[in-house]
Amino acid sequence: MNEQSSLFPSLPESSSVPSQAPTPAAAPRVLMAQRNQIALRPMDLEATVGPEHAVRSVWAFVERLDLSALYTEIGSVEGGAGRPAIDPQILMALWLYATVDGVGSAREIERLTEAHDAYRWICGGVNVNHHTLSDFRCARVDVLDELLTDSVAVLVNKGLVKLDRVAQDGMRVRASAGAASFRRRSTLELCLEQARAQVQALKGELDADPDASNRRRRAARERAAEERQKRLAQALEQLAQVEKQKNKKAVAKKEKETEEQHKRSEPRASSTDAQARVMKMADGGFRPAYNVQLTTTTNSQIIVGIEVNNCGSDLGQLSPMLDQVQHRYEQCPAQWLADGGFARNADIEDAHRRGTTVYAPVRHPRDSSRDPHVALPDDSEAIIQWRQRMGSEAAKEIYKQRAATAECVNAIARGRGLTQFLVRGLNKVKAVALWYALAHNLMRTVTLTQPG
């Protein structure tokens, strides 16, 4: 027997085995997707979020807020005509939770109310659209400001927050305007004339067109043109203020400038956001932005004061914030920490008269041989004490808490999306900043009230 026959032994001859037809292989059974069928699924909203979920803390916080000012504005009442309004508690909770979650777009919140369990839990079956959300966010800045005061006052009364030592810092937040939107007066006036002509032309088309669908589209175009015309008019108004401020600084230099240099330095205003200003940002670049001022307690990192302005410098911002904190809580902090950009003599003297001790670095003199902590001949008593105080090791240790407090709060806000405003105008920008302050204090309150 050869090697091949040993590996493959011979089979019986075909004549001895009856022939059989091959059996076809059976098809495998699998579960296939059926995407064209309608399914009804029961849902328990209460079970979709756990007992320790952050959204429950947000809702508990909202339930304790006094929102009576928002309820009085609702036109639909029991026994009267009109569609029921969305509960302000729902809108308040949606914006607070979205801010904590790093979501700043009304359209994105609308999408999440249909796709995310936490947002669906807040709504509780109520449909919310982005128009309502967007209007609610900036409609009542005064209510948001009062809620900040009341919520902090409760923490102060409970002993969780102390106003004995606070830290102030400012951060530049990008505005909703491009650098190319800043135009000179002549360009703004030309654009305003064109916008007015466009509005008149669209009104004529709207009156002459009998088609309802086209009328709606043209009505939308007319609204957009009118809004552009309004923004351009605001830009021209703001430009007058910019020119006034710039003229004060450039009186001495104007005679020496050539015509081309003067043209380059000619004041400009944004046709997109008239109240935005070009500021130097943290990375050294210059972009349209707003200056957000925050005052925070050092012991608990609770925001007790907030202001938004379009000034690119922190100089002169200490006294207005001290006024605000005193007005909110009817007391002045014993110690006020701020960086060197806030150190203005007038502000330090004002704080001294109110019994507040300022801890801010003394500027280095141009003469490097002079000790900055030694009093100058024309210094007041408050400035002399400030210089001597900041030269001591005890003051330097206290001042270290500024970075650990103010810079930390700024970083948290940046992490939650406060890198660029999606709204325009100082009033709306302050509303967004207040939402961030309320959301920050909410989460800090949860931490401070946890046992242990």
Side-chain angles (χ1 to χ4, degrees):
M1 183 181 297
N2 56 27
E3 183 177 359
Q4 184 176 0
S5 61
S6 64
L7 293 175
F8 303 99
S10 59
L11 296 175
E13 295 182 3
S14 59
S15 59
S16 61
V17 179
S19 62
Q20 296 180 355
T23 303
R29 291 186 297 172
V30 295
L31 297 175
M32 312 228 8
Q34 300 292 334
R35 300 183 181 88
N36 57 352
Q37 63 181 352
I38 299 175
L40 298 177
R41 298 181 180 180
M43 176 181 291
D44 181 8
L45 280 175
E46 191 64 24
T48 56
V49 295
E52 302 298 327
H53 199 286
V55 72
R56 294 186 181 273
S57 299
V58 172
W59 186 256
F61 176 80
V62 171
E63 286 183 318
R64 294 193 295 268
L65 296 177
D66 181 11
L67 303 180
S68 56
L70 300 179
Y71 283 99
T72 55
E73 295 180 345
I74 298 176
S76 57
V77 295
E78 294 292 341
R83 180 180 178 180
I86 298 175
D87 188 350
Q89 284 189 334
I90 294 177
L91 300 174
M92 179 71 66
L94 281 173
W95 272 116
L96 284 175
Y97 185 73
T99 304
V100 172
D101 201 28
V103 178
S105 167
R107 292 180 183 272
E108 180 63 13
I109 295 176
E110 180 186 3
R111 188 191 68 81
L112 289 170
T113 57
E114 301 175 355
H116 196 285
D117 287 339
Y119 292 86
R120 282 200 297 259
W121 184 86
I122 293 175
C123 292
V126 177
N127 293 325
V128 181
N129 62 68
H130 65 271
H131 290 292
T132 303
L133 286 165
S134 182
D135 292 342
F136 182 82
R137 171 172 50 179
C138 303
R140 293 297 302 273
V141 180
D142 57 331
V143 173
L144 296 176
D145 195 72
E146 190 65 27
L147 290 176
L148 177 65
T149 302
D150 294 343
S151 59
V152 174
V154 170
L155 297 176
V156 172
N157 292 333
K158 290 183 177 181
L160 297 174
V161 174
K162 297 180 180 179
L163 292 174
D164 55 348
R165 183 181 294 168
V166 300
Q168 180 182 359
D169 195 24
M171 62 175 176
R172 316 296 186 266
V173 182
R174 185 78 157 80
S176 180
S181 67
F182 283 77
R183 304 171 186 270
R184 300 183 181 92
R185 175 175 291 277
S186 58
T187 307
L188 287 173
E189 291 174 347
L190 177 61
C191 291
L192 182 58
E193 291 179 5
Q194 294 174 348
R196 287 172 177 167
Q198 184 181 12
V199 170
Q200 294 301 322
L202 286 172
K203 284 183 177 180
E205 292 180 7
L206 193 62
D207 295 336
D209 186 7
D211 189 358
S213 61
N214 286 336
R215 283 175 61 84
R216 284 194 296 269
R217 285 195 296 269
R218 287 177 178 166
R221 289 168 56 196
E222 181 185 347
R223 286 194 301 271
E226 288 176 346
E227 290 174 359
R228 181 170 180 266
Q229 177 182 338
K230 184 178 179 180
R231 290 197 303 268
L232 289 167
Q234 291 175 346
L236 284 170
E237 293 176 2
Q238 291 291 320
L239 187 62
Q241 300 180 13
V242 176
E243 289 173 340
K244 185 177 180 180
Q245 295 173 356
K246 198 160 188 176
N247 288 337
K248 289 181 179 179
K249 299 177 181 179
V251 168
K253 295 167 52 178
K254 190 175 287 187
E255 295 180 357
K256 299 180 181 179
E257 287 181 345
T258 63
E259 184 178 350
E260 184 63 28
Q261 288 174 332
H262 178 66
K263 186 176 180 180
R264 286 200 303 266
S265 63
E266 188 178 348
R268 305 185 187 193
S270 173
S271 59
T272 304
D273 187 351
Q275 293 180 309
R277 297 290 183 270
V278 176
M279 302 181 185
K280 186 175 183 180
M281 309 298 283
D283 60 0
F286 289 84
R287 287 181 288 277
Y290 285 96
N291 188 351
V292 180
Q293 296 287 324
L294 298 175
T295 302
T296 314
T297 57
T298 58
N299 68 318
S300 57
Q301 292 189 359
I302 290 289
I303 297 175
V304 296
I306 184 169
E307 191 55 75
V308 180
N309 57 59
N310 55 9
C311 179
S313 172
D314 291 331
L315 195 66
Q317 304 297 328
L318 195 152
S319 283
M321 185 59 74
L322 183 57
D323 288 337
Q324 182 186 134
V325 173
Q326 184 178 13
H327 176 73
R328 286 181 185 273
Y329 313 108
E330 299 182 351
Q331 61 175 303
C332 286
Q335 298 175 342
W336 196 283
L337 282 57
D339 62 34
F342 292 87
R344 190 176 71 164
N345 289 0
D347 290 348
I348 296 172
E349 292 169 348
D350 177 50
H352 179 76
R353 286 191 294 269
R354 305 189 200 196
T356 299
T357 303
V358 175
Y359 290 83
V362 182
R363 294 192 188 91
H364 293 286
R366 294 180 179 179
D367 183 4
S368 59
S369 62
R370 185 174 71 82
D371 186 356
H373 301 107
V374 175
L376 296 176
D378 57 345
D379 283 344
S380 64
E381 183 62 28
I383 301 303
I384 293 174
Q385 293 180 12
W386 167 58
R387 290 183 185 276
Q388 294 174 349
R389 178 171 58 250
M390 294 311 299
S392 66
E393 292 299 324
K396 293 177 182 178
E397 287 298 319
I398 293 175
Y399 180 72
K400 288 180 181 179
Q401 298 182 22
R402 187 206 69 83
T405 302
E407 299 293 347
C408 179
V409 172
N410 288 354
I412 292 173
R414 299 282 192 191
R416 288 181 176 145
L418 191 58
T419 56
Q420 181 173 5
F421 290 113
L422 302 180
V423 296
R424 295 165 181 158
L426 271 171
N427 193 57
K428 291 184 178 181
V429 165
K430 184 176 180 180
V432 173
L434 282 166
W435 282 111
Y436 276 92
L438 288 168
H440 173 86
N441 287 356
L442 187 160
M443 300 311 295
R444 287 300 302 159
T445 302
V446 172
T447 302
L448 293 171
T449 55
Q450 284 180 348

